[in-house]
Amino acid sequence: MGFSFGAGNARKLARIPLYALGRLVTLFVPRTDRWVFGCGAGIGDGPLELWRVAEDNGRDAVWLTDDPRAARDAAALGIPTLRASSLAGFWATARAGVIVVAYGLGDVNPYAISGGVTGRPVVAQLWHGIPLKRIGLDAPETLRSPVRFAAPLISSALGILYRLSSRRIDILPAASHLVRGRLESAFGLPHDRILVTGEPRVDVLSRGTAEERRQGARALLRRLIPDLPAGEPRLVLYAPTWRDGEPDPAVPGEEDWRAIDETLARHDAVLLVRSHRLGAGDYAPPAGVQRVRALDADLLPDVTVALPGLDALVTDYSSLVYDVALVPLPVLFLAPDVAAYARRRGFYGAYRDIAGDEVATTWRELLPQLDALLGDEAVSAERIRRSRELSARVHAFHDDRSAERVYAAIAARTTDRGGSSA
């Protein structure tokens, strides 16, 4: 089922009384040393990396989720859970001294985050990728009115609510000083709340040796997609981004699918299609297409761990372009609506500064590039060089200790507020 900012904003406005009631209740509830975690994409991303560090340090913690799949995944990892929307989830959030999220305050129980008898909690918003497209207060879409009537007034009210919500964030990790500036603007936060620690979510891309990471990721993909061709086929991930509920203009037609299949077959390659979890496109190929597989969020909620097992990325505006730069992988760009997307959503900097001058607008334009990438080592090496240069620009750290740095920052903040740092 799709999602749009308009529909989401309508729900936010309707829930204002619940936020007010929650704020009243938490005024009389003392905070404890307990940590609560949540992640809108399931058990993964930055919260899982930080969970492991908190667990190693003996923290009393619980994960909140309303997703049965996430609850099962947590149980398999020995992570205790509560339903986020339940009374127990409200109470756990209301009593927590530290709250960790990755998508928004709705990752936990959003009605119980306000202050308390012993003060408000330390809120760590780990976010879920370096933004290429504009986000938050920088993106008009974020504040889109759910109705046309009095739209400017409603958008202004939504802007106020967004800023009030963002003010609850105490720590927002940034991959670098370049990214820090984007996050300051998008969240409307002061400089001291955005820390250049690196992103916990990509620690897995620096853990162990490159060969260990590749073999582990390949084994994972084999388990998830058992009908991959035998041997060592090259794996190309296609990851289009979300268009706020609008149709995806890059969905291949029947002729495109067959041309894609022929190109892949020439190079013993497979296209793994990962449409966005908030608005999946119709990426089912016709009968006879043999070298396309789905790798959607219902199969693998957090794709980061699988990236070292891939051989290339095709995307439009996804933040994955920054993640795969750490591997590094060659990247091709398919962006049929770049002019319209720039007007509606916008980018940080010029899109071509990231994508280069060879941006394809159709599969017919992209396939010769993919053919060259898979068939010519020099072409692949040049694309990998670009990824390495991009990584040097946006990642200040290339180790697996970002979660440790974020943990230390949270512990320091809790000590400053009179909590325990043990």
Side-chain angles (χ1 to χ4, degrees):
M1 183 175 180
F3 170 86
S4 71
F5 277 120
N9 288 337
R11 288 193 289 270
K12 287 178 185 176
L13 293 172
R15 292 170 181 169
I16 287 177
L18 293 176
Y19 287 103
L21 179 61
R23 184 175 182 83
L24 178 63
V25 172
T26 54
L27 286 175
F28 304 97
V29 178
R31 297 281 173 178
T32 69
D33 289 338
R34 170 169 268 201
W35 293 37
V36 297
F37 288 74
C39 177
I43 309 301
D45 221 293
L48 181 57
E49 291 292 330
L50 187 58
W51 173 279
R52 290 169 173 150
V53 178
E55 185 177 46
D56 288 344
N57 282 271
R59 290 292 180 179
D60 173 26
V62 66
W63 197 292
L64 303 187
T65 181
D66 285 326
D67 180 6
R69 158 73 183 273
R72 292 193 299 270
D73 290 345
L77 295 172
I79 297 174
T81 62
L82 293 171
R83 282 190 58 222
S85 61
S86 68
L87 182 59
F90 175 89
W91 186 246
T93 308
R95 295 273 286 160
V98 175
I99 294 170
V100 179
V101 299
Y103 283 75
L105 300 182
D107 289 357
V108 290
N109 189 299
Y111 311 118
I113 295 176
S114 299
V117 173
T118 53
R120 65 183 186 85
V122 173
V123 176
Q125 163 58 285
L126 305 186
W127 201 236
H128 47 278
I130 297 172
L132 169 58
K133 56 184 179 288
R134 290 184 175 272
I135 61 171
L137 295 170
D138 293 336
E141 289 294 293
T142 305
L143 308 179
R144 184 197 290 186
S145 171
V147 295
R148 292 186 178 182
F149 174 74
L153 182 61
I154 293 173
S155 293
S156 295
L158 287 167
I160 293 171
L161 291 175
Y162 192 94
R163 285 181 173 84
L164 289 173
S165 177
S166 292
R167 284 181 190 172
R168 298 176 181 178
I169 298 171
D170 297 281
I171 292 174
L172 179 57
S176 63
H177 287 283
L178 173 66
V179 178
R180 182 184 203 171
R182 297 178 185 181
L183 296 176
E184 284 181 359
S185 176
F187 286 87
L189 287 173
H191 195 69
D192 63 346
R193 298 195 191 185
I194 302 179
L195 309 180
V196 180
T197 58
E199 297 179 297
R201 55 185 294 279
V202 295
D203 278 358
V204 67
L205 298 180
S206 298
R207 189 169 297 137
T209 67
E211 182 60 22
E212 287 170 344
R213 293 192 293 271
R214 182 167 176 82
Q215 292 303 318
R218 279 272 166 162
L220 170 65
L221 289 167
R222 279 281 180 192
R223 289 197 302 272
L224 295 174
I225 313 173
D227 64 338
L228 284 173
E232 285 294 319
R234 282 183 279 187
L235 302 179
V236 180
L237 180 66
Y238 173 51
T241 197
W242 175 50
R243 286 169 168 79
D244 192 36
E246 296 296 322
D248 187 344
V251 174
E254 183 169 348
E255 290 186 8
D256 292 326
W257 279 123
R258 302 205 184 281
I260 291 168
D261 203 41
E262 291 172 4
T263 301
L264 296 167
R266 278 198 297 275
H267 302 285
D268 188 23
V270 175
L271 186 70
L272 305 179
V273 179
R274 187 176 181 83
S275 51
H276 198 279
R277 68 182 188 87
L278 291 180
D282 184 11
Y283 282 99
V289 173
Q290 299 179 355
R291 289 189 166 263
V292 177
R293 304 288 188 276
L295 187 63
D296 290 331
D298 57 349
L299 189 64
L300 181 62
D302 182 4
V303 75
T304 313
V305 69
L307 298 182
L310 304 175
D311 296 281
L313 170 70
V314 178
T315 189
D316 43 23
Y317 323 118
S318 173
S319 63
L320 277 174
V321 66
Y322 297 114
D323 298 340
V324 303
L326 283 167
V327 176
L329 294 180
V331 182
L332 298 177
F333 292 87
L334 173 60
D337 57 345
V338 62
Y341 199 87
R343 289 193 301 270
R344 181 169 179 171
R345 185 68 179 261
F347 302 104
Y348 291 103
Y351 178 61
R352 290 186 181 273
D353 288 346
I354 303 298
D357 296 325
E358 305 93 353
V359 177
T361 59
T362 66
W363 283 98
R364 185 181 297 273
E365 292 178 7
L366 180 81
L367 288 179
Q369 295 185 36
L370 181 60
D371 193 35
L373 179 68
L374 296 175
D376 188 331
E377 290 185 3
V379 173
S380 178
E382 170 59 20
R383 292 281 181 170
I384 290 174
R385 182 192 64 79
R386 295 185 195 181
S387 285
R388 285 199 177 98
E389 288 184 351
L390 179 61
S391 181
R393 285 164 53 192
V394 299
H395 295 287
F397 299 94
H398 294 78
D399 58 19
D400 62 346
R401 300 184 60 191
S402 295
E404 294 178 18
R405 287 185 285 269
V406 173
Y407 176 84
I410 294 172
R413 296 287 172 97
T414 57
T415 300
D416 290 343
R417 293 188 182 180
S420 171
S421 62

